[in-house]
Amino acid sequence: MENWLKQVFDHPDLNGSLIIAAKTLVVYLFLIIGLRLLGKRELGQMNIFDLVLIIVLGNSVQNAMMNNDNSLVGGLIAGTVLLIVNRLFNILLQRSSRAERLMVGQPMLIVNEGVPIEYRMQREGVTHDQLMTALREHGLTRLDQARMCVLEVDGSISVVPVDSEVLRTKRHFKALRMP
C-alpha cells in the first residue's frame, strides 16, 4: 500500500517543477498567438479537421510541457500554470482595450450594400459558401438582399438585410462652460 501511494504522489524536484511551469507558459503563449494568427473564422466554426487539430495539439504540446515527467504533481503543476496564466490573460484583456483589440480583434465588414469585400474575406478565411450559409440562416438567398455582413470576433457572421430599419442616433456633446 505504501509503495502504491508513493507512486501515485510521486513528484518532480523543485528544478523539474520550475521547468514544467516555464515550458507550460511558453506553450500556452505560443498556442494563443498561433490560434489568433489563424483568423477569426477558423475559431468560429469548428469542423472535424479543427477537432482533430485541437486533440493532436493537446497531445503534442503535453510532451513538450512535461519534460518527460509523468507524475501526478507534474500534471498538476502544468494545469495550475495554465489556469493561472489564462486568468491573468483574461484580466489583461478586460483592463486593456489595446490588448483586447490585438488578441481578440474587431468585427470586420465583409459585405457592404450587397457587394462582398473580397480581400477581407480572403484575409479572414471566409469562403463564399460560408457567406451564403450565413445569408440563408438569416432568411436571405442573394447577396444583394444584404445591406451588410459582419464577421464578428467569435467567427460568426452577422447579416443586416436591406429591408431592415436603420436607427440613427444623434450624438450629444456636453458643452464646456467657462465661468
Side-chain angles (χ1 to χ4, degrees):
M1 182 71 163
E2 184 180 323
N3 189 29
W4 181 81
L5 285 174
K6 185 176 180 180
Q7 287 178 347
V8 169
F9 293 104
D10 184 28
H11 58 84
D13 61 8
L14 179 61
N15 188 47
S17 297
L18 293 175
I19 289 172
I20 290 171
K23 285 184 174 188
T24 301
L25 177 62
V26 170
V27 167
Y28 179 86
L29 293 174
F30 172 79
L31 290 176
I32 290 292
I33 293 167
L35 290 171
R36 173 65 178 107
L37 293 176
L38 283 177
K40 289 184 278 255
R41 192 62 183 167
E42 289 297 322
L43 300 175
Q45 297 229 337
M46 186 180 293
N47 59 34
I48 189 70
F49 305 111
D50 298 327
L51 177 62
V52 170
L53 173 67
I54 288 173
I55 292 169
V56 172
L57 271 176
N59 190 42
S60 65
V61 300
Q62 182 261 340
N63 294 331
M65 290 186 310
M66 297 305 294
N67 201 30
N68 294 327
D69 185 323
N70 294 321
S71 67
L72 174 63
V73 175
L76 293 175
I77 291 168
T80 302
V81 169
L82 288 172
L83 291 171
I84 290 171
V85 170
N86 192 60
R87 180 69 179 137
L88 293 173
F89 191 68
N90 284 322
I91 289 170
L92 171 69
L93 293 179
Q94 288 173 351
R95 293 186 180 175
S96 170
S97 59
R98 185 174 183 211
E100 182 181 21
R101 209 173 29 256
L102 178 67
M103 292 309 297
V104 177
Q106 294 180 320
M108 182 171 296
L109 185 68
I110 57 173
V111 172
N112 188 25
E113 301 299 334
V115 179
I117 304 171
E118 297 290 341
Y119 76 93
R120 289 184 181 171
M121 289 177 58
Q122 286 178 341
R123 186 173 73 203
E124 296 297 329
V126 178
T127 65
H128 282 278
D129 288 340
Q130 291 169 332
L131 179 59
M132 293 308 295
T133 299
L135 288 175
R136 288 189 298 275
E137 288 173 351
H138 289 81
L140 306 179
T141 57
R142 299 184 325 268
L143 272 171
D144 63 356
Q145 294 174 311
R147 178 182 315 250
M148 67 178 177
C149 297
V150 178
L151 178 62
E152 303 293 349
V153 295
D154 66 356
S156 63
I157 299 174
S158 296
V159 177
V160 178
V162 168
D163 59 0
S164 68
E165 184 178 339
V166 176
L167 302 174
R168 304 231 185 246
T169 59
K170 293 182 181 179
R171 292 186 181 211
H172 299 282
F173 296 98
K174 292 182 180 178
L176 263 166
R177 293 186 186 178
M178 299 301 278

